[in-house]
Amino acid sequence: MENGLWELLGSKGLLKKHEFIRVLVQCLYSLGFKKSASCLEHESNILYKSVDFGLLEKQVLSGNWDSCVAVLDRIFDSSSDDTRNTALYLVLKQCLVEYLKQGDVSLALNVLRKQAPLLGMGKDKIHRLACDIVYSKEMESGEADSFLVQDLRKNLLVELEKLIPLPIVIGERRLEHLVESAVLHQIDTCLYHNSWDAVSLYKDHCCGRDQIPSETVQILMAHKNEVWFVQFSNSGKYLATASSDYTAMIWKVLDDNKVELKHTLESHQNPVSFVSWSPDDTKLLTCGNAEVLKLWDVETGVLRHTFGNNNTGFTVSSCAWFPDSARLVCGSSDPERGIVMWDTDGNEIKAWRGTRIPKVVDLAVTPDGESMITVFSDKEIRILHLETKVERVISEEQPITSLSVSGDGKFFIVNLSSQEIHLWDLAGDWKQPLKFSGHRQSKYVIRSCFGGLNSSFIASGSEDSQVYLWNLKNAKPLEVLSGHSMTVNCVSWNPRNPRMLASASDDQTIRIWGPGKPNNPENWLDNQKMQ
């Protein structure tokens, strides 16, 4: 090569100029700029397609199979190479298909009998090749025409290109892959990234606080006592809250992300400690504290059913839905009552009771409905696959107060009274959890949740009246949100709006959090210190 094409590019001297130009030429061709690509090839004297591949392409498209095999032999210098044998297999298959399409059976048989063994193909492989041809889609299309033959040959070239080693060919859309990998790396190291928007190539990617909910945009004050629970619906169009004032409330999320009261649900005789949305968002479950479970119609606010009653002693500690929105499961704080699966009419479908079912602290069903995760007697987590009945047990050293599952069902988090949040994988590949700390929890039930783009964040309440946010890549808080005046009991991230968060507090309010102001230098320095 001439004109310094062997020189290196980039500030670190890591890029070979001739490779860089060749990748550029390939990119221009793939984008449809054939004249520009050809001009660059001519000016640089660097071809996108190597001489060997160019020759192979010519032989394949013209159907010169003997010459094609000769080129492949030169490209693959080891006759025992599995990749070479695969390439030859594809060429022979194409050759035989064309002969058979033309009705030249004797020539096809001659190739099978004489040529295949010479190319290192044993009887088993010859038999498989014949079967592949007989039952192939190519043989179903009737007689061959020139357009069909050319299409088949082009498809063969695509398959061969995947097998031929570097640098004879380069990977498809190589420049796009390199640029995308660089962008993904920048996104992966950006702790604030929280958007589906395309990323600009004009500058290095770096997000700020304006990508995550970090400023109070609305305060809801309809409850008359402590607010213990808050949860967005699966569609993100509703919000439900539960309070020690014996009520639960359904709120409507408007198009401008403002929240307005839709229904006040009044029927419980005790504080309401928990709510759960059906997957289709048409029904809402409310759990009374040491009391019964109630089912409500979301659209009308009408009570549809009460599960159990105070006379029977079935007190619900937590509940969860199955994906069909027709079945639900409830855990009781009474060990004798265990766990019960009901339909929405109150008919018992299945129950787990007995000495192996102690007090249920919290439970959840994975989004696919295949597994049930239960927290028993403060420190034990059991993951039960409902079909295979296979159970995995995780033991924590400190009492667990709550449980939350990620939107994709691959992970779950538990809040511990030791002021830690532990992240576990559902598959059981991890021996130890990821740990997050910084919030305050020692006396009360504090609940956390996943949220943001691809569930990349964790949010949690805290006994110091603040809301804590973490990126899953960092054990220390990314943001600490101030505004509440008493313990923050629960948080919920809108599953359809990654920049909307709700928090419930003993100060009788629910705060709605939206995007913050872009980071200024002081914010940035503070965050660097935390990390």
Side-chain angles (χ1 to χ4, degrees):
M1 293 187 183
E2 301 176 356
N3 301 324
L5 291 177
W6 284 109
E7 68 184 73
L8 302 177
L9 303 177
S11 60
K12 305 296 183 182
L14 299 176
L15 308 178
K16 298 176 182 178
K17 184 176 180 179
H18 67 282
E19 291 186 356
F20 188 77
I21 293 174
R22 190 177 173 195
V23 168
L24 281 176
V25 173
Q26 181 203 45
C27 181
L28 289 171
Y29 273 122
S30 68
L31 292 174
F33 302 119
K34 296 181 179 179
K35 291 182 180 179
S36 298
S38 178
C39 180
L40 181 54
E41 283 181 310
H42 178 75
E43 187 172 351
S44 65
N45 198 30
I46 297 176
L47 299 178
Y48 152 49
K49 295 179 179 178
S50 65
V51 174
D52 281 335
F53 187 79
L55 182 58
L56 178 66
E57 181 179 46
K58 179 180 179 181
Q59 305 306 328
V60 169
L61 293 179
S62 60
N64 295 326
W65 305 118
D66 290 339
S67 298
C68 180
V69 169
V71 175
L72 287 174
D73 278 336
R74 187 163 63 250
I75 291 174
F76 298 100
D77 52 11
S78 174
S79 60
S80 62
D81 185 77
D82 290 339
T83 308
R84 168 192 176 275
N85 292 337
T86 301
L88 292 175
Y89 181 91
L90 293 174
V91 170
L92 283 174
K93 180 181 175 182
Q94 177 65 30
C95 173
L96 292 172
V97 166
E98 291 190 21
Y99 288 154
L100 291 173
K101 282 283 194 180
Q102 297 165 5
D104 216 335
V105 177
S106 60
L107 192 54
L109 287 173
N110 183 59
V111 170
L112 271 177
R113 290 170 181 166
K114 297 182 179 180
Q115 299 300 322
L118 293 176
L119 295 170
M121 295 178 62
K123 290 182 179 180
D124 290 342
K125 202 160 190 178
I126 293 172
H127 182 263
R128 183 165 69 89
L129 176 60
C131 291
D132 283 352
I133 292 171
V134 170
Y135 296 108
S136 66
K137 293 181 179 179
E138 292 87 345
M139 296 302 297
E140 296 175 0
S141 54
E143 294 184 3
D145 59 55
S146 58
F147 295 107
L148 175 61
V149 168
Q150 283 302 308
D151 285 342
L152 293 177
R153 291 175 179 176
K154 288 177 181 178
N155 291 337
L156 172 61
L157 267 176
V158 171
E159 294 304 313
L160 291 175
E161 194 168 358
K162 296 176 183 177
L163 299 172
I164 295 173
L166 296 170
I168 297 172
V169 297
I170 54 178
E172 187 179 7
R173 297 182 179 275
R174 182 62 184 163
L175 184 59
E176 289 179 41
H177 171 74
L178 290 171
V179 173
E180 189 174 51
S181 296
V183 170
L184 288 174
H185 175 71
Q186 291 182 4
I187 289 174
D188 194 48
T189 56
C190 176
L191 296 180
Y192 284 96
H193 187 75
N194 193 32
S195 172
W196 287 285
D197 296 340
V199 174
S200 173
L201 300 181
Y202 294 146
K203 61 180 181 179
D204 289 343
H205 177 74
C206 184
C207 297
R209 297 179 73 246
D210 55 333
Q211 294 297 311
I212 63 171
S214 50
E215 299 285 346
T216 299
V217 295
Q218 191 176 0
I219 302 175
L220 311 179
M221 298 184 290
H223 282 293
K224 297 179 175 61
N225 212 325
E226 298 170 352
V227 188
W228 288 355
F229 200 89
V230 60
Q231 189 178 69
F232 280 104
S233 67
N234 300 283
S235 67
K237 295 179 179 179
Y238 298 100
L239 181 72
T241 56
S243 170
S244 61
D245 65 5
Y246 299 9
T247 71
M249 294 182 180
I250 297 176
W251 307 77
K252 174 71 173 175
V253 180
L254 305 178
D255 291 341
D256 62 358
N257 291 326
K258 292 294 183 181
V259 178
E260 67 175 20
L261 183 62
K262 182 177 177 67
H263 299 298
T264 300
L265 311 179
E266 299 176 300
S267 179
H268 285 282
Q269 304 303 310
N270 286 318
V272 184
S273 58
F274 194 89
V275 302
S276 182
W277 290 94
S278 64
D280 63 7
D281 286 355
T282 62
K283 298 174 282 290
L284 182 73
L285 291 170
T286 58
C287 294
N289 190 37
E291 199 199 10
V292 294
L293 178 70
K294 294 180 181 289
L295 176 66
W296 305 82
D297 183 276
V298 171
E299 184 59 35
T300 63
V302 172
L303 177 63
R304 291 181 49 174
H305 192 80
T306 298
F307 299 83
N309 58 68
N310 290 333
N311 294 328
T312 62
F314 191 93
T315 56
V316 178
S317 59
S318 58
C319 58
W321 287 90
F322 283 86
D324 58 11
S325 295
R327 295 171 297 149
L328 54 115
V329 63
C330 303
S332 176
S333 55
D334 183 350
E336 295 183 3
R337 303 295 176 178
I339 300 171
V340 179
M341 183 193 299
W342 280 305
D343 65 19
T344 53
D345 294 322
N347 300 307
E348 184 176 306
I349 300 173
K350 186 176 178 62
W352 295 265
R353 298 188 179 97
T355 55
R356 292 190 69 254
I357 307 297
K359 170 187 174 183
V360 177
V361 175
D362 204 351
L363 61 76
V365 174
T366 53
D368 58 13
E370 293 184 357
S371 298
M372 180 170 65
I373 309 171
T374 311
V375 177
F376 288 112
S377 297
D378 296 340
K379 298 180 182 180
E380 184 179 274
I381 306 166
R382 293 187 195 173
I383 304 168
L384 173 66
H385 192 282
L386 296 168
E387 183 176 349
T388 65
K389 305 299 188 294
V390 173
E391 186 176 69
R392 179 164 67 97
V393 178
I394 299 172
S395 296
E396 290 281 8
E397 295 180 356
Q398 300 296 326
I400 304 168
T401 64
S402 64
L403 162 72
S404 181
V405 181
S406 63
D408 59 11
K410 294 181 179 180
F411 306 96
F412 64 90
I413 49 177
V414 290
N415 275 59
L416 307 180
S417 60
S418 59
Q419 304 187 136
E420 281 189 336
I421 297 171
H422 287 187
L423 168 66
W424 291 93
D425 72 312
L426 195 72
D429 296 329
W430 299 358
K431 300 302 181 184
Q432 296 293 327
L434 298 180
K435 300 179 181 181
F436 303 87
S437 61
H439 64 302
R440 299 290 177 264
Q441 179 180 2
S442 58
K443 298 184 292 183
Y444 304 122
V445 173
I446 300 296
R447 299 184 184 274
S448 57
C449 70
F450 289 93
L453 181 68
N454 299 323
S455 296
S456 299
F457 300 89
I458 291 174
S460 179
S462 177
E463 292 176 10
D464 63 2
S465 76
Q466 302 187 98
V467 175
Y468 286 75
L469 305 182
W470 294 263
N471 186 296
L472 295 185
K473 305 182 190 78
N474 200 309
K476 295 182 179 179
L478 179 67
E479 289 285 338
V480 179
L481 313 182
S482 300
H484 286 291
S485 59
M486 299 180 69
T487 294
V488 180
N489 300 301
C490 184
V491 292
S492 179
W493 214 303
N494 191 315
R496 294 291 179 263
N497 182 350
R499 301 178 189 178
M500 188 178 193
L501 180 76
S503 58
S505 171
D506 282 351
D507 64 11
Q508 305 182 22
T509 70
I510 303 102
R511 282 184 177 252
I512 307 298
W513 305 84
K517 298 175 182 178
N519 287 24
N520 57 39
E522 290 78 12
N523 296 139
W524 185 84
L525 287 172
D526 290 342
N527 284 325
Q528 294 302 306
K529 291 176 182 177
M530 284 196 296
Q531 296 163 26

